Amino acid sequence: MSVVTLQNVREIITASRGLQAPSACHEVKHLEHVRGLSGGSGVPSTERHALRSPAPAGMGTSRRPVALRWTAISPNSGCCRAQVWFVPPPPLVVVAAAAAEPCAQGQACTSRRGSVQRTDPGRSTSFNNLAGAVQTRFEQTGRMEDLEESIALHRDALELRPHEHPDRSSSFNNLANAVQTRFKQTGRMEDLEESIVLHRDALRLHPPGHPDRSVSLSNLGEAMQTRFRQTGRMEDLEESIVLHHDALERHPPGHPLRSSSINNLAVAVRTRFKQTGQMEDIEESIVLHRDALRLLPPGHPDRSEFLSNLGRAMRTRFAKTGRMDDLEESLHYYEEGADHVFSNTLMRLSVAVRWAALARSQRHVSTVKAYRLALSLLESWLVKSPTVQMQHKILSGKNGYQTLASDAASYAIEIGDVAQAVEMLEQGRALIWSQLRGFRTPIEQLREVNKGLADRFLTTSRELESLATSSESKPTTAIAQDSATGVSQKLVDEMYSRKRRLASELEAIVAEIRTTSGFGDFLRARRFSVLQEAAVEGPVIIISHSKYRSDALIVLHDRPPVSVELDSDFDHNGPSLVKDLKAALQELKKDPSVSMVIEGVLSSLWDQVVFRVVDKLDELGIEKQTRIWWCPTSVLSALPFHAAGPIRIVEGRRMHLLDDYISSYTPTLTALINARPKPEITRHNIGRPQLLVVALPDDTIPLAEKEYRAIRKDRNFVECLICEQATREAVIDKFRDHDWVHFAFHGHLNSDEPFLHAFQLFGEDRLTLLDIIRSNLPNAELAFLSACHSAEQTIGRAREEVLHLAAAVQFCGFRSVIGTMWALDDDDGPFVARRFYKRMFAEEDSPELGSKRSAKALRETIQRLRKRPGMTVERWVNFIHIGA
């Protein structure tokens, strides 16, 4: 059997829209997934019916097609109709359509997108089929545009099916399911209420004895239970149980939907137990869950979900009775469900997270194993999306997985395994950067052993990177705008298909590389012994933040990592500091006095975090005036740890952390390791740096001209792109020819689409974060981004991804990057640039690369900036150094 792919779904959509080859009566081949019967053929039904199984709280609901028929309408005048019957559980299979049959009217038919004419009697069927295909695509991609289109199409189909129409009940059912799916995405109660009304309408059209009555009973039962979870009305729950009982009575032993009906009833009864505490309910639920599981063969794709449900029931009884065998059995079912390779990766991930939470609550020996598997599954789930924008959308979802790495690390700290905590944070954070970085893995050593294998790895990796950063998917709105033609979505579907093929090829190549002597750990998650290389020039301080605890983890090059526990309430105080800082910055132009709020944030950072770290550094023998790196996690990446204080007052002047240490930032330990040049690379053997300055002086930043002139003065190795010279193409081209770059123009944030963060170039041109990522500059040294917001972390849901312009510049090859955490004062750009480059060029004969000297030069420059008359705290704190 073949597993369904998104390409299969696209073929159905294309056929349903009437976009097949222009033959009058052609054979349409449809590929779609079915949960097939074990040796059975199923019972045909007129339309697409969905039997839903209530999912665990916080999860989506599994849809189980009872029977499905897709009817594709040819756009030609001797219109043809192809029919496909689909049947329920167990395994996923691919089914081919029957040969096309002539349409009774023999006239042109078009879909809602222009392929069915109004007079065609099969128009409602075409709408229904296209709606089902588009909703299936939504389930695979998560694109809300598809769900909205599906709902609109189902409404059109229902409108064309009057009371006497034999398929009217199916339209009610399909529209109800689609609207209920939207409720689960948006939480809008009006959608849930509408779905209940529609399910009742469908049930009325399925009187006792009707073959589809059980479907309506189950769907209405699930909708009533969903409303109960929202409102707590017990009458809704009781009605749900009655409805599921009635549905089960219509699914006798041997019926293909019996396992689903048993599972649905078991979930509803267990829910009632949580409300009433009646032991007979939880006992009945456990018996039912066991019965449902027994009906699924080991390779069934729903087995992970059913194992999870039984595990939850056992956990519920354990919470009531305290029986340890119930706990062990619950953990066993969770582990089996998370390990079930034939089930959906997302379902397995949710089960693994549930397993980790229960195991942690009992300090069970399997906790670390559960967290490790969950992190691995999160990576696997993410890389199935072909582009970085789609991956970001996954990580931005309301699924709670954004905190998985920090939660896992906090447990490792609890049990005293700080090294493993560091490994977990590295594995589960900045996943998008990690995947892209894997495509650029240096393989010089492999080429010496097996040149052909190395070249195959490079070729496939570059194709995958090109796909991941493809402009075909950007911006997202472009896809929606062109959805009427289906062209843009076709490109997206093709990218999914290509991604699967390339990913499979790369997986096979990597497996082959790992069999080569000396390459057994190629591209595996890095061990701490490798990660601690990041601290070779100074300690790296990871600020780990989770709901369980907060810690500062000090990574040292020559000894085990050290954990410094922070205040127990910092899990709340940390995000509050971020909110206070963001609010103050927004009000700054209106009310300069809010600078005091920013000073308060710096003071709180010192009191709650940094002074503890400094005390530990002293204890470890780390001298003052040396370099340290900060690696904050979660929302804390928006906080200026480098400027915490005041730490003391000297001669009436407040001293901050930057007076004692040279601070830099790094998104991850791996990013810092990659930013470091090889020991043999020095200024003497690569020559004088070539500096590119790009500036756009205008009315809004008039001092940009002063800034670039100060940098260029009497220096023949400085090239400038000014005003109309600063086009997107010119900047990207010149990037490749220069070791150092300096940008002096506006930066723009896009909180909804961070890959559209951009630098404003000449005219309407913009250099986006995605443009920068596509560049590959392995020999670049230093980038100074003298622009607003260039290192600002927008506080969205994907908090661990560190998606800002400075991080992208570092990723593309620059070893050190100077950026700004918020809006830049126009007066400060020229001053900082002049002083910074004066300091850098004064040491031009130093054998050290400029990237290594830049952190110290910036620190000295900011100390001078701070002494200027009228200086305010938000101005000098703004500049940060990232990288080596």
Side-chain angles (χ1 to χ4, degrees):
M1 293 184 178
S2 303
V3 177
V4 67
T5 68
L6 193 64
Q7 178 68 18
N8 304 154
V9 179
R10 184 176 65 80
E11 290 174 14
I12 296 171
I13 295 173
T14 302
S16 299
R17 281 183 167 142
L19 300 177
Q20 293 284 2
S23 60
C25 283
H26 58 286
E27 180 177 316
V28 181
K29 294 293 185 180
H30 287 173
L31 298 176
E32 167 65 314
H33 74 277
V34 251
R35 302 182 183 273
L37 295 171
S38 299
S41 60
V43 179
S45 175
T46 49
E47 296 291 349
R48 182 179 196 234
H49 301 287
L51 177 61
R52 294 176 180 266
S53 168
M59 291 298 302
T61 311
S62 298
R63 176 172 291 116
R64 313 188 193 294
V66 176
L68 207 55
R69 182 183 71 194
W70 292 104
T71 305
I73 307 299
S74 168
N76 307 295
S77 57
C79 169
C80 308
R81 181 170 294 140
Q83 298 183 342
V84 190
W85 296 103
F86 292 87
V87 291
L92 291 172
V93 298
V94 170
V95 178
E101 302 171 6
C103 176
Q105 299 301 313
Q107 54 190 336
C109 304
T110 54
S111 74
R112 184 171 184 262
R113 296 306 186 187
S115 60
V116 179
Q117 292 191 359
R118 193 87 193 167
T119 56
D120 177 56
R123 189 168 189 262
S124 65
T125 302
S126 184
F127 281 171
N128 180 78
N129 295 340
L130 180 55
V134 171
Q135 186 167 350
T136 299
R137 186 169 65 191
F138 159 76
E139 291 161 3
Q140 296 203 24
T141 68
R143 291 184 66 246
M144 283 299 293
E145 296 93 332
D146 283 338
L147 182 57
E148 295 293 349
E149 181 182 5
S150 176
I151 291 172
L153 288 163
H154 279 310
R155 292 195 193 281
D156 288 345
L158 178 61
E159 184 181 350
L160 293 173
R161 290 174 171 174
H163 293 288
E164 67 277 6
H165 197 286
D167 291 332
R168 183 172 174 81
S169 61
S170 298
S171 280
F172 278 135
N173 185 58
N174 294 342
L175 177 57
N177 288 334
V179 171
Q180 190 171 343
T181 298
R182 186 170 65 185
F183 161 75
K184 291 177 180 177
Q185 300 297 312
T186 66
R188 289 176 6 194
M189 282 299 294
E190 55 265 35
D191 282 339
L192 179 57
E193 296 294 346
E194 182 185 3
S195 75
I196 291 173
V197 171
L198 291 165
H199 278 310
R200 292 195 190 281
D201 289 339
L203 183 59
R204 275 191 289 271
L205 295 175
H206 291 157
H210 193 284
D212 291 332
R213 182 170 176 81
S214 64
V215 176
S216 289
L217 289 167
S218 293
N219 288 345
L220 179 56
E222 195 274 335
M224 297 307 297
Q225 190 173 349
T226 300
R227 189 168 72 180
F228 162 76
R229 287 194 291 266
Q230 300 299 311
T231 66
R233 290 172 49 189
M234 281 300 294
E235 53 266 39
D236 285 344
L237 180 58
E238 294 294 349
E239 183 179 357
S240 173
I241 292 173
V242 171
L243 290 163
H244 284 310
H245 265 298
D246 289 349
L248 180 57
E249 288 178 358
R250 288 161 175 79
H251 296 154
H255 193 285
L257 294 177
R258 184 169 176 82
S259 61
S260 296
S261 283
I262 294 173
N263 179 72
N264 293 345
L265 178 58
V267 172
V269 172
R270 172 162 50 87
T271 303
R272 185 170 65 186
F273 165 77
K274 292 179 180 179
Q275 301 301 310
T276 66
Q278 296 178 357
M279 285 302 296
E280 54 266 33
D281 279 341
I282 191 59
E283 298 295 348
E284 180 186 359
S285 177
I286 290 172
V287 170
L288 289 166
H289 276 307
R290 292 191 195 280
D291 289 344
L293 185 61
R294 271 193 291 270
L295 293 175
L296 293 187
H300 195 286
D302 288 335
R303 191 168 177 84
S304 179
E305 179 186 352
F306 280 32
L307 284 163
S308 175
N309 287 342
L310 178 53
R312 296 185 75 187
M314 301 307 299
R315 176 181 181 173
T316 301
R317 190 168 72 179
F318 163 72
K320 181 70 173 180
T321 66
R323 288 168 47 184
M324 292 306 296
D325 54 340
D326 283 345
L327 171 64
E328 293 296 334
E329 198 171 351
S330 176
L331 291 169
H332 166 75
Y333 290 130
Y334 281 155
E335 182 172 2
E336 187 179 345
D339 280 332
H340 191 253
V341 296
F342 298 104
S343 293
N344 175 273
T345 302
L346 180 55
M347 175 54 68
R348 292 176 61 202
L349 172 59
S350 70
V351 178
V353 170
R354 196 169 292 118
W355 170 23
L358 175 58
R360 178 177 190 152
S361 69
Q362 303 301 315
R363 297 188 68 83
H364 193 267
V365 67
S366 67
T367 306
V368 170
K369 182 179 180 182
Y371 273 128
R372 282 290 195 186
L373 179 58
L375 288 169
S376 177
L377 289 169
L378 179 58
E379 286 184 281
S380 298
W381 180 41
L382 182 69
V383 299
K384 290 179 180 178
S385 293
T387 69
V388 289
Q389 298 99 320
M390 294 177 183
Q391 291 164 3
H392 177 261
K393 185 174 181 178
I394 288 174
L395 292 170
S396 301
K398 298 178 181 180
N399 47 45
Y401 300 138
Q402 302 92 337
T403 64
L404 180 58
S406 294
D407 291 345
S410 70
Y411 182 75
I413 296 168
E414 275 184 23
I415 62 176
D417 195 342
V418 182
Q420 182 159 223
V422 173
E423 292 174 351
M424 288 173 161
L425 286 169
E426 192 72 11
Q427 182 183 3
R429 297 183 60 252
L431 290 170
I432 294 174
W433 293 124
S434 296
Q435 182 199 183
L436 290 172
R437 192 170 285 111
F439 297 150
R440 297 184 179 180
T441 301
I443 57 168
E444 290 81 2
Q445 291 178 328
L446 177 63
R447 182 173 279 111
E448 294 174 4
V449 178
N450 189 329
K451 183 179 184 300
L453 187 58
D455 290 343
R456 284 167 53 207
F457 173 81
L458 274 179
T459 300
T460 308
S461 293
R462 285 168 180 166
E463 285 189 67
L464 275 166
E465 182 182 353
S466 177
L467 177 62
T469 59
S470 171
S471 60
E472 290 171 342
S473 64
K474 123 179 147 48
T476 305
T477 52
I479 297 175
Q481 289 168 357
D482 201 27
S483 61
T485 66
V487 174
S488 292
Q489 185 58 51
K490 178 180 179 181
L491 291 175
V492 174
D493 296 344
E494 289 173 348
M495 284 192 290
Y496 269 93
S497 178
R498 185 175 169 219
K499 174 66 178 284
R500 278 190 298 273
R501 177 180 59 80
L502 290 171
S504 296
E505 290 178 12
L506 187 63
E507 184 178 356
I509 293 170
V510 170
E512 186 176 350
I513 292 174
R514 288 173 181 168
T515 64
T516 304
S517 178
F519 292 88
D521 289 332
F522 184 76
L523 287 187
R524 294 191 194 277
R526 292 185 170 184
R527 297 188 176 94
F528 178 76
S529 59
V530 176
L531 294 173
Q532 68 181 145
E533 292 178 14
V536 68
E537 296 180 11
V540 180
I541 302 123
I542 303 172
I543 307 299
S544 175
H545 174 263
S546 83
K547 63 183 178 183
Y548 296 103
R549 59 182 294 150
S550 295
D551 300 85
L553 310 181
I554 302 176
V555 179
L556 304 160
H557 176 247
D558 55 355
R559 59 194 116 165
V562 176
S563 173
V564 179
E565 186 172 1
L566 304 180
D567 287 343
S568 59
D569 56 356
F570 190 69
D571 61 317
H572 169 73
N573 291 346
S576 294
L577 290 177
V578 174
K579 290 179 182 178
D580 292 344
L581 178 62
K582 295 290 185 182
L585 290 169
Q586 289 177 356
E587 295 296 322
L588 202 54
K589 289 186 177 181
K590 302 177 184 177
D591 182 7
S593 67
V594 299
S595 283
M596 297 178 61
V597 176
I598 300 174
E599 292 177 355
V601 170
L602 297 180
S603 179
S604 295
L605 266 183
W606 172 256
D607 293 339
Q608 298 181 41
V609 180
V610 178
F611 98 89
R612 298 170 188 260
V613 173
V614 170
D615 281 351
K616 182 57 69 172
L617 292 177
D618 288 341
E619 183 183 319
L620 293 168
I622 307 299
E623 297 181 356
K624 297 287 198 296
Q625 306 308 320
T626 57
R627 293 194 67 183
I628 60 176
W629 279 262
W630 294 96
C631 183
T633 67
S634 185
V635 296
L636 304 186
S637 57
L639 292 173
F641 289 91
H642 67 286
I647 58 179
R648 61 182 178 277
I649 297 178
V650 177
E651 297 179 354
R653 188 164 62 89
R654 294 181 175 184
M655 309 295 287
H656 289 71
L657 185 70
L658 68 85
D659 294 300
D660 282 357
Y661 294 93
I662 304 170
S663 289
S664 297
Y665 289 84
T666 184
T668 63
L669 297 177
T670 300
L672 182 54
I673 293 170
N674 291 345
R676 293 238 166 83
K678 295 180 179 179
E680 64 270 19
I681 299 178
T682 67
R683 176 54 53 207
H684 292 324
N685 57 32
I686 65 173
R688 168 179 279 177
Q690 299 299 305
L691 173 59
L692 172 68
V693 179
V694 185
L696 273 82
D698 60 20
D699 293 340
T700 59
I701 44 174
L703 296 181
E705 181 175 1
K706 181 180 179 182
E707 184 171 339
Y708 87 77
R709 290 187 183 280
I711 300 170
R712 188 176 186 178
K713 183 180 180 182
D714 300 326
R715 297 176 181 127
N716 58 10
F717 53 88
V718 178
E719 182 176 0
C720 294
L721 294 176
I722 309 301
C723 296
E724 65 272 9
Q725 299 172 324
T727 64
R728 177 176 173 272
E729 291 73 17
V731 172
I732 292 174
D733 181 61
K734 293 295 183 181
F735 241 15
R736 303 183 180 94
D737 302 327
H738 294 80
D739 315 90
W740 296 4
V741 299
H742 184 96
F743 288 166
F745 40 60
H746 288 297
H748 299 282
L749 297 182
N750 187 319
S751 57
D752 295 326
E753 295 281 350
F755 288 99
L756 298 183
H757 291 344
F759 293 119
Q760 180 66 57
L761 299 177
F762 181 73
E764 298 300 317
D765 271 6
R766 291 195 174 197
L767 184 70
T768 69
L769 186 148
L770 199 58
D771 290 328
I772 298 168
I773 291 174
R774 293 194 192 100
S775 303
N776 191 355
L777 311 169
N779 298 317
E781 281 190 49
L782 172 66
F784 193 136
L785 310 181
S786 184
C788 298
H789 314 289
S790 59
E792 180 171 346
Q793 175 71 34
T794 53
I795 306 304
R797 292 199 183 98
R799 297 169 178 176
E800 298 288 12
E801 289 308 295
V802 199
L803 295 174
H804 52 61
L805 290 161
V809 169
Q810 186 193 25
F811 169 79
C812 79
F814 286 91
R815 304 188 189 285
S816 290
V817 182
I818 294 170
T820 57
M821 300 188 76
W822 42 76
L824 173 63
D825 190 286
D826 291 336
D827 290 333
D828 297 336
F831 177 88
V832 172
R834 183 173 63 254
R835 291 286 181 177
F836 174 78
Y837 287 108
K838 181 179 180 180
R839 179 72 172 79
M840 292 294 290
F841 293 136
E843 296 183 359
E844 195 174 343
D845 294 332
S846 170
E848 283 190 325
L849 295 181
S851 57
K852 298 186 71 171
R853 294 183 280 114
S854 57
K856 185 177 180 180
L858 179 66
R859 197 271 292 258
E860 294 178 3
T861 299
I862 298 308
Q863 286 175 323
R864 286 179 172 270
L865 176 67
R866 192 172 52 173
K867 295 177 182 179
R868 298 189 77 192
M871 182 54 52
T872 52
V873 63
E874 74 281 354
R875 290 168 61 184
W876 65 263
V877 171
N878 194 8
F879 295 88
I880 64 172
H881 182 274
I882 301 170

